[in-house]
Every structure is written in C-alpha cells, then in structure tokens.
Amino acid sequence: METPPNFLECSTTVVQAAVNRQVTGSNPVIPVMKILFLDDEEYRFNAFKTQNPNVDVDWAINTNRAIHLVKNNTYDVAYLDHDLGYNLPTGKDFVNYLVSRKDKIPVSLFICHSMNPVGRANMVEMLSNFGYNVIDKPYAWVLNTNDLFTVS
C-alpha cells in the first residue's frame, strides 16, 4: 500500500482542483470548494458548515444519498463517516460502490472522519488501494481544521 500524501500535499491538490474547475477564460474567480459530507448526525453537518462558511457542502445522511450525489456532482473533497445508523448501510458500503466502478470519480481528497477506528481504517485502506488520496482523521480533527479551505 502506498504511503498516503501528507496534509499539505492534499491541501494543494484540493485547491488546485477547485481552481481548475472554476477558472474559465480570462476571468478567474476565487475557488469555492465543493464538498460531500456523508454523516447521519445533523449536528456534525451543521457544525462543519458553521466552521467552514465559504465552502459549498452537500449533506448525505445515508449511502443511497451519497451515491446519488456523486453520480450527479463533482466534488473536491468528500468527508466520510462509517456508522450511519443502526442496521443501515455504512460508509464502507459507499466506498464499496466507489471502488466497484470501472472509473474513478473525480474527488481530489477523501477524509474519513468516523469515530469508529476499525470502520475508518477499512475505508482508508480500500480508498488508498484504489488510488485515491485519503486522510484518516476522527471527527474532532475535522472541526478543528479549516486551513484546508483557505486560499491566499
């Protein structure tokens, strides 16, 4: 398994992806990160939005919604929770969908933020093995990190 990229490399990759997606012609605009946030806890989503007001975030409360969103949108970053409710499909089921595709979806960075260390590690391993950039960090780190979205 390849060594995951460090945070600075991932930040640069994500910012560049947003710039490439939004700069057209000779009239560049300040990039706005497009983010998929897969988590069943509304308070986590609201806290993330409050902490990161300058990003465009789509909330997926379950695996089916996340699959629908990635089929119809392009994201710079995807945050993934593992446990999405008792006896319901998990974030790992979403990752299974991603790696079962013949093509990679164009997400620059996945951040697995589940508080379930085993589930988080499984998602990180699967995404890494498939060639995605992925960071393994619990949710508490997510709330304390906004420099990923700072463009100077």
Side-chain angles (χ1 to χ4, degrees), residues 39-40 61-64 81-94:
D39 199 306
D40 62 319
I61 193 170
N62 58 43
T63 299
N64 288 339
D81 187 18
H82 183 272
D83 301 325
L84 301 173
Y86 178 73
N87 212 20
L88 294 174
T90 66
K92 185 178 175 190
D93 293 311
F94 176 65

Side-chain angles (χ1 to χ4, degrees), residues 3-13 109 133-135 148:
T3 304
N6 70 37
F7 184 74
L8 180 58
E9 290 170 348
C10 290
S11 297
T12 303
T13 301
L109 176 63
N133 292 323
V134 60
I135 294 176
L148 182 62

Side-chain angles (χ1 to χ4, degrees), residues 37 60 70:
F37 196 85
V70 298

Side-chain angles (χ1 to χ4, degrees), residues 58-89:
D58 287 339
W59 180 31
I61 193 170
N62 58 43
T63 299
N64 288 339
R65 178 75 177 144
I67 290 170
H68 171 78
L69 287 169
V70 298
K71 284 181 176 179
N72 295 293
N73 297 282
T74 299
Y75 294 99
D76 300 305
V77 181
Y79 283 82
L80 306 180
D81 187 18
H82 183 272
D83 301 325
L84 301 173
Y86 178 73
N87 212 20
L88 294 174

Side-chain angles (χ1 to χ4, degrees), residues 18-19 22-23 27-33 54 149 151-152:
V19 169
Q22 294 185 4
V23 173
N27 189 17
V29 296
I30 296 173
V32 174
M33 296 293 142
N54 298 320
F149 310 116
V151 180
S152 43

